[in-house]
Amino acid sequence: MPLSMEQIEANRLRLTASKLPKVLGLDPYCTPWQLQAETLGLIEPEESSRAAVLGGLLEEPIRIMAMQEWPDLIANSETFWRDELGASPDYLRPDSTADGKSSGFNGPVARAWIDCGPDSAPLGIQVQCQAQAWVCGKPECGVAAIIGGQPFRTLLWPADTDLVEGALEVADPWWKRHIVNRDPVPVGDVAPPLAIVKRLRRIEGKSIRLGEDAAQLYATWREAKALANKLEKEIKDQEATLRAMMGDACRAELEGGPAVYLQTISRKGYTVDPTSYTTLKEEK
């Protein structure tokens, strides 16, 4: 059962089981950098993603199927606390917590579920579920999951106190430093998604000075952009020449190579609401 908006806001600045994998870098959709930016409101809010919409639609089917395996399961809408860690498991049973998970057919989440096999779950999911059991004082934790292209699965694990306490040794000081004290999180070796960075809130007129590493990064970006523009022009020129050579034909067999053809693609008309966005430019 989803939390209310009041519960979500109350939990926003506190460490919870669902945020633990993100702090540890185990969430394929949210880096520690992004977690800080979203938690502290440094980026503009995003409309619900397709994955979030799908997850909402599948909540009830997951609950119904999970009850066939666990008849004593009940939906939960409360947040529980132990020390400084909170947990809001989707379901409660007399001796365990349980969470409902879903994903589409593709993407990093679906691939992670496939890679770990039918009798296990991605490490980030296990950490979250174990943290829920630790907070709620249950001897077991479980997950019920609908993963695109795979059979419905329910998994149950014994509580692992050492795993949770080890995770908290890393996550708790990180949370205090980067959320409570608001120290910037290093971007790291993996660049944050451009779509996320574009949502960063900007202070009009503010200017800062960046070091040599940023200057080198900018030089590399300029070279890559120039190469991309050159390649894009070559691709368009070569396609235009090939189309001209085909004349009025829709298909052509290439000497010593494959056949190529022109495919008609129809697009639905749509209107786009007015928006504003930023682009990176160099001062002349």
Side-chain angles (χ1 to χ4, degrees), residues 192-206:
L194 183 59
I196 300 297
V197 179
K198 282 186 174 180
R199 287 165 39 210
L200 273 170
R201 300 179 190 273
R202 306 289 176 178
I203 300 176
E204 189 68 29
K206 181 177 179 179

Side-chain angles (χ1 to χ4, degrees), residues 36 171-184 186:
Q36 184 197 43
D172 189 57
W174 184 97
W175 193 265
K176 288 182 171 64
R177 176 180 178 183
H178 297 296
I179 303 300
V180 178
N181 296 332
R182 304 175 71 95
D183 285 356

Side-chain angles (χ1 to χ4, degrees), residues 15 20 23 84-85 167-177:
L15 181 60
L20 204 52
V23 173
E84 295 300 316
L85 183 67
L168 286 174
E169 286 182 4
V170 176
D172 189 57
W174 184 97
W175 193 265
K176 288 182 171 64
R177 176 180 178 183

Side-chain angles (χ1 to χ4, degrees), residues 82 92-98 129-142 155-161 164:
R82 178 175 173 180
L92 291 173
R93 300 175 61 218
D95 293 323
S96 76
T97 57
C129 292
Q130 289 288 352
Q132 292 172 345
W134 184 83
V135 169
C136 296
K138 301 288 187 179
E140 294 180 318
C141 62
L155 303 169
L156 201 61
W157 303 285
D160 189 339
T161 300
V164 179

